[in-house]
Amino acid sequence: MPHLRVLAGPTEHELVPLRVNSGVPVRIASDAFEGAVAVFIKGLADAEGGREDSDYFRKRSGVTWSIQVQGRFLREYSADELLFGNVFERPFKLPWGFGAALKFMNFIDPTLEHDLASRSKPWALSPLVATMPYFRQQRAPRGAPPPPFPPAEPLSDDATQLRTTPSAPAPANPALAKLKASPAKRRSYFANALRRQEVVFGPEDVVTTDFCYDFLQFSHSGIALRLPGGITIDVMKYWDGQPVRFVCCDRARRGAGGGGGERPWGRVLWCVVIEPAEGDMPVQVQEKEKEKAEEEERGSGSDVD
């Protein structure tokens, strides 16, 4: 299969290579977030020397890829302000069966909002606390060492220590106590926006997440999207080579940028990018890059004359 390159950083413009399946995280530091990212993709040999497999997949069976993040948000956010998902730089061709794919995505994540048919920048985002398959929050003073990362054993869910706002109803904390070790209960509880608004994250909260699924299958023949009902989409036929960005960001404030409120995200807090390694881009993308380089060269020559 084509080699993929994975990068991570505090924004989509500040990225460094990440060794997939190595268990060696990339550190992220900005004035908004500090933490680390690790990525595991079953059956993948990446361009940075990552291994094709990892012990992670023997311990967490039934998944084929995982994006794990641990860190602190350096100012307070409500759980409703923090979003996670994909943002794209330009429109892309929607494959046959895409309607079924969207129904499947909304089934596994009812909080998902998207405009993947956008003619400018397609996107799909959900509240972080409600979309993550596995989520753990621990109280730790700033400067205290965080738990080992990535964890030696697959992340277990724990939302029992989440802090609530002073205005939150009194029963909020007892309700959170019931969310330990139950991703389904946590996701269902925080599907409600009012409940998300009652919870806050800040510098003394260490948040660890594992975004892992099995609907993408990686092999030496390519990448396939497998959906219920026997639907399989060959991703390589439709991927034009543009980076696939996974971002954690804050929710855009009404009236603040985004082209008159069209863009739902504000500041990117961390970013993971998956893209074809150089030399493995689709032919049409390589041709476009070559044409662009030739145009720039011609333009440079005319300036000299």
Side-chain angles (χ1 to χ4, degrees), residues 44-70:
L44 176 72
D46 76 354
E48 302 300 326
R51 295 173 296 170
E52 287 200 357
D53 212 344
S54 163
D55 285 341
Y56 169 84
F57 296 108
R58 286 182 278 276
K59 296 176 179 179
R60 172 97 71 202
S61 60
V63 302
T64 57
W65 58 292
S66 163
I67 297 175
Q68 300 182 30
V69 180
Q70 181 183 90

mmCIF file of all heavy atoms in Angstrom, residues 44-70:
data_model
loop_
_atom_site.group_PDB
_atom_site.id
_atom_site.type_symbol
_atom_site.label_atom_id
_atom_site.label_comp_id
_atom_site.label_asym_id
_atom_site.label_seq_id
_atom_site.Cartn_x
_atom_site.Cartn_y
_atom_site.Cartn_z
ATOM 1 N N LEU A 44 0.123 -1.039 9.183
ATOM 2 C CA LEU A 44 0.696 0.077 8.430
ATOM 3 C C LEU A 44 2.202 0.177 8.632
ATOM 4 O O LEU A 44 2.694 0.118 9.750
ATOM 5 C CB LEU A 44 0.053 1.398 8.873
ATOM 6 C CG LEU A 44 0.636 2.653 8.214
ATOM 7 C CD1 LEU A 44 0.225 2.729 6.758
ATOM 8 C CD2 LEU A 44 0.192 3.905 8.950
ATOM 9 N N ALA A 45 2.913 0.331 7.535
ATOM 10 C CA ALA A 45 4.331 0.716 7.600
ATOM 11 C C ALA A 45 4.396 2.158 7.121
ATOM 12 O O ALA A 45 4.042 2.451 5.988
ATOM 13 C CB ALA A 45 5.178 -0.180 6.702
ATOM 14 N N ASP A 46 4.808 3.066 7.992
ATOM 15 C CA ASP A 46 4.789 4.471 7.602
ATOM 16 C C ASP A 46 6.136 4.918 7.059
ATOM 17 O O ASP A 46 7.107 4.172 7.032
ATOM 18 C CB ASP A 46 4.326 5.361 8.777
ATOM 19 C CG ASP A 46 5.409 5.566 9.828
ATOM 20 O OD1 ASP A 46 6.474 4.935 9.725
ATOM 21 O OD2 ASP A 46 5.174 6.365 10.752
ATOM 22 N N ALA A 47 6.170 6.157 6.594
ATOM 23 C CA ALA A 47 7.371 6.686 5.952
ATOM 24 C C ALA A 47 8.452 7.072 6.953
ATOM 25 O O ALA A 47 9.566 7.391 6.574
ATOM 26 C CB ALA A 47 7.011 7.910 5.107
ATOM 27 N N GLU A 48 8.113 7.038 8.254
ATOM 28 C CA GLU A 48 9.072 7.444 9.273
ATOM 29 C C GLU A 48 9.699 6.254 9.988
ATOM 30 O O GLU A 48 10.332 6.402 11.031
ATOM 31 C CB GLU A 48 8.378 8.362 10.301
ATOM 32 C CG GLU A 48 7.749 9.604 9.695
ATOM 33 C CD GLU A 48 8.768 10.476 9.000
ATOM 34 O OE1 GLU A 48 9.910 10.523 9.464
ATOM 35 O OE2 GLU A 48 8.429 11.095 7.977
ATOM 36 N N GLY A 49 9.489 5.049 9.457
ATOM 37 C CA GLY A 49 10.108 3.872 10.049
ATOM 38 C C GLY A 49 9.267 3.189 11.102
ATOM 39 O O GLY A 49 9.757 2.322 11.834
ATOM 40 N N GLY A 50 8.003 3.566 11.212
ATOM 41 C CA GLY A 50 7.118 2.924 12.176
ATOM 42 C C GLY A 50 6.856 1.464 11.825
ATOM 43 O O GLY A 50 6.874 1.082 10.664
ATOM 44 N N ARG A 51 6.576 0.666 12.846
ATOM 45 C CA ARG A 51 6.307 -0.750 12.627
ATOM 46 C C ARG A 51 4.897 -0.960 12.111
ATOM 47 O O ARG A 51 4.022 -0.124 12.262
ATOM 48 C CB ARG A 51 6.501 -1.519 13.939
ATOM 49 C CG ARG A 51 7.941 -1.516 14.437
ATOM 50 C CD ARG A 51 8.011 -2.149 15.818
ATOM 51 N NE ARG A 51 7.266 -1.358 16.788
ATOM 52 C CZ ARG A 51 6.998 -1.783 18.033
ATOM 53 N NH1 ARG A 51 7.382 -2.963 18.424
ATOM 54 N NH2 ARG A 51 6.341 -0.999 18.871
ATOM 55 N N GLU A 52 4.664 -2.127 11.502
ATOM 56 C CA GLU A 52 3.344 -2.418 10.954
ATOM 57 C C GLU A 52 2.334 -2.765 12.043
ATOM 58 O O GLU A 52 1.150 -2.711 11.815
ATOM 59 C CB GLU A 52 3.434 -3.559 9.942
ATOM 60 C CG GLU A 52 4.084 -3.162 8.628
ATOM 61 C CD GLU A 52 3.741 -4.109 7.514
ATOM 62 O OE1 GLU A 52 3.057 -5.097 7.786
ATOM 63 O OE2 GLU A 52 4.149 -3.858 6.378
ATOM 64 N N ASP A 53 2.779 -3.180 13.210
ATOM 65 C CA ASP A 53 1.850 -3.615 14.240
ATOM 66 C C ASP A 53 2.336 -3.152 15.599
ATOM 67 O O ASP A 53 3.439 -2.645 15.750
ATOM 68 C CB ASP A 53 1.701 -5.135 14.217
ATOM 69 C CG ASP A 53 0.299 -5.562 14.641
ATOM 70 O OD1 ASP A 53 -0.419 -4.721 15.225
ATOM 71 O OD2 ASP A 53 -0.079 -6.718 14.403
ATOM 72 N N SER A 54 1.477 -3.345 16.602
ATOM 73 C CA SER A 54 1.791 -2.891 17.945
ATOM 74 C C SER A 54 1.081 -3.790 18.949
ATOM 75 O O SER A 54 0.020 -4.364 18.647
ATOM 76 C CB SER A 54 1.326 -1.441 18.118
ATOM 77 O OG SER A 54 1.262 -1.083 19.476
ATOM 78 N N ASP A 55 1.648 -3.896 20.145
ATOM 79 C CA ASP A 55 0.983 -4.634 21.219
ATOM 80 C C ASP A 55 -0.381 -4.052 21.534
ATOM 81 O O ASP A 55 -1.254 -4.737 22.064
ATOM 82 C CB ASP A 55 1.846 -4.620 22.489
ATOM 83 C CG ASP A 55 3.039 -5.553 22.393
ATOM 84 O OD1 ASP A 55 3.010 -6.457 21.531
ATOM 85 O OD2 ASP A 55 4.002 -5.364 23.161
ATOM 86 N N TYR A 56 -0.553 -2.762 21.221
ATOM 87 C CA TYR A 56 -1.835 -2.106 21.504
ATOM 88 C C TYR A 56 -2.997 -2.898 20.910
ATOM 89 O O TYR A 56 -4.035 -3.072 21.564
ATOM 90 C CB TYR A 56 -1.816 -0.688 20.935
ATOM 91 C CG TYR A 56 -3.170 -0.009 20.940
ATOM 92 C CD1 TYR A 56 -3.639 0.644 22.074
ATOM 93 C CD2 TYR A 56 -3.986 -0.020 19.809
ATOM 94 C CE1 TYR A 56 -4.884 1.260 22.091
ATOM 95 C CE2 TYR A 56 -5.225 0.596 19.810
ATOM 96 C CZ TYR A 56 -5.679 1.225 20.953
ATOM 97 O OH TYR A 56 -6.908 1.827 20.955
ATOM 98 N N PHE A 57 -2.841 -3.403 19.679
ATOM 99 C CA PHE A 57 -3.943 -4.090 19.003
ATOM 100 C C PHE A 57 -4.175 -5.493 19.558
ATOM 101 O O PHE A 57 -5.257 -6.060 19.360
ATOM 102 C CB PHE A 57 -3.686 -4.136 17.495
ATOM 103 C CG PHE A 57 -3.653 -2.770 16.872
ATOM 104 C CD1 PHE A 57 -2.465 -2.214 16.437
ATOM 105 C CD2 PHE A 57 -4.811 -2.021 16.758
ATOM 106 C CE1 PHE A 57 -2.427 -0.949 15.895
ATOM 107 C CE2 PHE A 57 -4.784 -0.745 16.214
ATOM 108 C CZ PHE A 57 -3.592 -0.209 15.777
ATOM 109 N N ARG A 58 -3.205 -6.053 20.232
ATOM 110 C CA ARG A 58 -3.422 -7.334 20.895
ATOM 111 C C ARG A 58 -4.162 -7.142 22.214
ATOM 112 O O ARG A 58 -4.863 -8.052 22.680
ATOM 113 C CB ARG A 58 -2.077 -8.039 21.116
ATOM 114 C CG ARG A 58 -1.488 -8.611 19.824
ATOM 115 C CD ARG A 58 -0.175 -9.346 20.068
ATOM 116 N NE ARG A 58 0.956 -8.424 20.132
ATOM 117 C CZ ARG A 58 1.583 -7.979 19.054
ATOM 118 N NH1 ARG A 58 1.187 -8.339 17.844
ATOM 119 N NH2 ARG A 58 2.615 -7.158 19.175
ATOM 120 N N LYS A 59 -4.008 -5.963 22.798
ATOM 121 C CA LYS A 59 -4.675 -5.676 24.068
ATOM 122 C C LYS A 59 -6.055 -5.036 23.873
ATOM 123 O O LYS A 59 -6.957 -5.249 24.678
ATOM 124 C CB LYS A 59 -3.796 -4.766 24.916
ATOM 125 C CG LYS A 59 -2.469 -5.417 25.321
ATOM 126 C CD LYS A 59 -1.582 -4.453 26.083
ATOM 127 C CE LYS A 59 -0.282 -5.108 26.507
ATOM 128 N NZ LYS A 59 0.617 -4.180 27.238
ATOM 129 N N ARG A 60 -6.183 -4.197 22.840
ATOM 130 C CA ARG A 60 -7.481 -3.579 22.522
ATOM 131 C C ARG A 60 -7.961 -4.217 21.219
ATOM 132 O O ARG A 60 -7.697 -3.715 20.129
ATOM 133 C CB ARG A 60 -7.328 -2.072 22.359
ATOM 134 C CG ARG A 60 -8.575 -1.381 21.842
ATOM 135 C CD ARG A 60 -9.431 -0.764 22.895
ATOM 136 N NE ARG A 60 -8.871 0.415 23.527
ATOM 137 C CZ ARG A 60 -9.259 0.847 24.735
ATOM 138 N NH1 ARG A 60 -10.181 0.173 25.400
ATOM 139 N NH2 ARG A 60 -8.718 1.921 25.280
ATOM 140 N N SER A 61 -8.637 -5.335 21.337
ATOM 141 C CA SER A 61 -9.072 -6.058 20.143
ATOM 142 C C SER A 61 -10.260 -5.355 19.498
ATOM 143 O O SER A 61 -10.992 -4.597 20.142
ATOM 144 C CB SER A 61 -9.464 -7.496 20.503
ATOM 145 O OG SER A 61 -10.526 -7.501 21.446
ATOM 146 N N GLY A 62 -10.430 -5.594 18.199
ATOM 147 C CA GLY A 62 -11.598 -5.068 17.502
ATOM 148 C C GLY A 62 -11.442 -3.678 16.953
ATOM 149 O O GLY A 62 -12.409 -3.108 16.440
ATOM 150 N N VAL A 63 -10.246 -3.084 17.050
ATOM 151 C CA VAL A 63 -10.010 -1.768 16.444
ATOM 152 C C VAL A 63 -8.824 -1.878 15.490
ATOM 153 O O VAL A 63 -7.990 -2.779 15.616
ATOM 154 C CB VAL A 63 -9.758 -0.658 17.488
ATOM 155 C CG1 VAL A 63 -10.930 -0.546 18.442
ATOM 156 C CG2 VAL A 63 -8.468 -0.905 18.251
ATOM 157 N N THR A 64 -8.765 -0.961 14.531
ATOM 158 C CA THR A 64 -7.687 -0.993 13.537
ATOM 159 C C THR A 64 -6.839 0.276 13.544
ATOM 160 O O THR A 64 -5.816 0.324 12.869
ATOM 161 C CB THR A 64 -8.255 -1.190 12.123
ATOM 162 O OG1 THR A 64 -9.204 -0.140 11.845
ATOM 163 C CG2 THR A 64 -8.968 -2.542 12.006
ATOM 164 N N TRP A 65 -7.264 1.299 14.278
ATOM 165 C CA TRP A 65 -6.469 2.524 14.358
ATOM 166 C C TRP A 65 -6.834 3.293 15.623
ATOM 167 O O TRP A 65 -7.927 3.127 16.166
ATOM 168 C CB TRP A 65 -6.650 3.398 13.125
ATOM 169 C CG TRP A 65 -8.064 3.818 12.836
ATOM 170 C CD1 TRP A 65 -9.088 3.014 12.442
ATOM 171 C CD2 TRP A 65 -8.616 5.129 12.922
ATOM 172 N NE1 TRP A 65 -10.245 3.743 12.267
ATOM 173 C CE2 TRP A 65 -9.978 5.046 12.558
ATOM 174 C CE3 TRP A 65 -8.092 6.372 13.257
ATOM 175 C CZ2 TRP A 65 -10.816 6.150 12.515
ATOM 176 C CZ3 TRP A 65 -8.936 7.477 13.215
ATOM 177 C CH2 TRP A 65 -10.280 7.359 12.851
ATOM 178 N N SER A 66 -5.868 4.089 16.088
ATOM 179 C CA SER A 66 -6.048 4.782 17.360
ATOM 180 C C SER A 66 -5.217 6.067 17.362
ATOM 181 O O SER A 66 -4.031 6.052 17.027
ATOM 182 C CB SER A 66 -5.597 3.869 18.510
ATOM 183 O OG SER A 66 -5.386 4.600 19.705
ATOM 184 N N ILE A 67 -5.875 7.173 17.736
ATOM 185 C CA ILE A 67 -5.188 8.441 17.974
ATOM 186 C C ILE A 67 -5.340 8.744 19.461
ATOM 187 O O ILE A 67 -6.460 8.973 19.941
ATOM 188 C CB ILE A 67 -5.772 9.583 17.125
ATOM 189 C CG1 ILE A 67 -5.570 9.302 15.638
ATOM 190 C CG2 ILE A 67 -5.138 10.921 17.503
ATOM 191 C CD1 ILE A 67 -6.229 10.323 14.728
ATOM 192 N N GLN A 68 -4.226 8.720 20.198
ATOM 193 C CA GLN A 68 -4.263 8.919 21.640
ATOM 194 C C GLN A 68 -3.606 10.246 22.003
ATOM 195 O O GLN A 68 -2.559 10.604 21.459
ATOM 196 C CB GLN A 68 -3.544 7.773 22.348
ATOM 197 C CG GLN A 68 -4.164 6.409 22.066
ATOM 198 C CD GLN A 68 -3.475 5.287 22.805
ATOM 199 O OE1 GLN A 68 -2.939 5.463 23.894
ATOM 200 N NE2 GLN A 68 -3.489 4.094 22.205
ATOM 201 N N VAL A 69 -4.241 10.960 22.913
ATOM 202 C CA VAL A 69 -3.745 12.270 23.338
ATOM 203 C C VAL A 69 -3.867 12.381 24.855
ATOM 204 O O VAL A 69 -4.854 11.932 25.444
ATOM 205 C CB VAL A 69 -4.526 13.424 22.672
ATOM 206 C CG1 VAL A 69 -3.996 14.777 23.135
ATOM 207 C CG2 VAL A 69 -4.456 13.316 21.150
ATOM 208 N N GLN A 70 -2.853 12.978 25.460
ATOM 209 C CA GLN A 70 -2.915 13.290 26.896
ATOM 210 C C GLN A 70 -2.386 14.704 27.098
ATOM 211 O O GLN A 70 -1.385 15.088 26.486
ATOM 212 C CB GLN A 70 -2.068 12.318 27.713
ATOM 213 C CG GLN A 70 -2.108 12.585 29.222
ATOM 214 C CD GLN A 70 -1.197 11.648 29.991
ATOM 215 O OE1 GLN A 70 -0.029 11.951 30.206
ATOM 216 N NE2 GLN A 70 -1.732 10.486 30.375
#
